[in-house]
């Protein structure tokens, strides 16, 4: 009776070891939470109005594509896109929280109204206005959580910074963006 019990315990221990090693290998190769990839699309000049009295209003369309490489969902919280001009915040726009399914791409879009009355308070704006080009920076930070199999959870933060040149005469915008991801 003792010998059968030892064999049974040995077989159970070997099976438990095999299952544990299999789970660890799966976690560190396939199921390990990965950073979502965030790509900034070119900033669009959605609306531009101006008159001879110097009243100018600009609406920028900002779209960020997030690719969730995980086998679980990426949920991000409410956030805000900030527009700064010469280190002074001149506009912002809210971004609603959402969930990005596993192995999927998701576009996050927002429109930002930039009013020149805020820009006019910043020193040097008159020179930029006369040159016809206004350079602003659009920055967006998404704080979220990657969840795999409802067991493994990891916090992730993605930051996107776009340098945007608004060409007033041509009524167009160009942008160069940098994306950083932190765990």
């Amino acid at each position: 009776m003792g010998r059968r019990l030892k064999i049974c315990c040995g077989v159970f221990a070997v099976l438990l070891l095999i299952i544990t090693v299999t789970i660890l290998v799966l976690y560190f190769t396939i199921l390990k939470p990965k950073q979502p990839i965030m790509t900034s699309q070119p900033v669009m000049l959605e609306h531009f109005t101006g008159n001879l009295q110097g009243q100018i209003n600009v609406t920028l369309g900002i779209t960020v594509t997030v690719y969730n490489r995980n086998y679980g969902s990426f949920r991000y919280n409410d956030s805000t896109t900030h527009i700064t001009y010469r280190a002074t915040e001149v506009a912002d726009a809210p971004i609603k929280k959402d969930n990005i399914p596993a192995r999927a791409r998701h576009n996050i879009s927002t429109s930002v109204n930039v009013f020149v009355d805020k820009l006019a308070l910043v020193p040097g704006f008159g020179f930029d206005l006369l040159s016809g080009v206004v350079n602003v920076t659009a920055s967006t930070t998404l704080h979220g959580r990657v969840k795999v199999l409802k067991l493994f959870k990891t916090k992730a933060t993605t930051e996107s910074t776009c340098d945007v040149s608004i060409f007033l005469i041509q009524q167009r915008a160009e942008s160069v963006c940098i994306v950083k991801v932190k765990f």
Side-chain angles (χ1 to χ4, degrees):
M1 183 97 151
R3 184 167 188 233
R4 289 182 187 167
L5 183 61
K6 287 180 183 179
I7 292 173
C8 184
C9 287
V11 169
F12 178 75
V14 168
L15 286 175
L16 186 62
L17 182 65
I18 291 172
I19 291 171
T20 303
V21 168
T22 304
I23 289 173
L24 286 174
V25 167
L26 282 175
Y27 175 77
F28 284 112
T29 57
I30 297 175
L31 301 177
K32 181 180 177 184
K34 299 170 189 76
Q35 297 178 346
I37 297 173
M38 192 162 119
T39 308
S40 294
Q41 304 301 325
V43 175
M44 302 297 294
L45 184 62
E46 289 182 351
H47 183 70
F48 176 85
T49 58
N51 58 30
L52 296 175
Q53 290 81 24
Q55 296 175 336
I56 300 172
N57 294 322
V58 177
T59 302
L60 298 175
I62 299 173
T63 301
V64 176
T65 301
V66 179
Y67 172 53
N68 181 12
R69 305 181 301 159
N70 294 291
Y71 287 93
S73 62
F74 174 65
R75 179 178 299 276
Y76 60 90
N77 302 324
D78 289 336
S79 186
T80 305
T81 295
H82 300 280
I83 304 292
T84 56
Y85 172 71
R86 296 188 182 223
T88 302
E89 186 173 322
V90 294
D92 58 18
I95 297 174
K96 300 269 186 202
K97 67 180 178 179
D98 203 354
N99 186 42
I100 303 172
R103 313 287 292 171
R105 292 183 192 278
H106 182 71
N107 286 335
I108 303 167
S109 299
T110 189
S111 293
V112 181
N113 294 321
V114 180
F115 297 101
V116 175
D117 57 346
K118 286 186 178 182
L119 290 172
L121 300 174
V122 179
F125 175 69
F127 296 113
D128 288 344
L129 190 60
L130 290 175
S131 72
V133 179
V134 177
N135 295 311
V136 297
T137 302
S139 51
T140 305
T141 302
L142 296 177
H143 299 282
R145 182 174 285 242
V146 177
K147 191 186 302 185
V148 179
L149 298 178
K150 297 183 181 180
L151 296 174
F152 308 111
K153 299 175 186 175
T154 302
K155 291 182 181 178
T157 301
T158 57
E159 298 174 354
S160 171
T161 304
C162 296
D163 294 322
V164 182
S165 296
I166 303 169
F167 297 94
L168 300 174
I169 296 170
Q170 294 92 355
Q171 296 187 3
R172 64 181 176 88
E174 291 181 2
S175 63
V176 176
C177 300
I178 298 171
V179 179
K180 297 178 185 174
V181 180
K182 300 177 188 175
F183 276 113

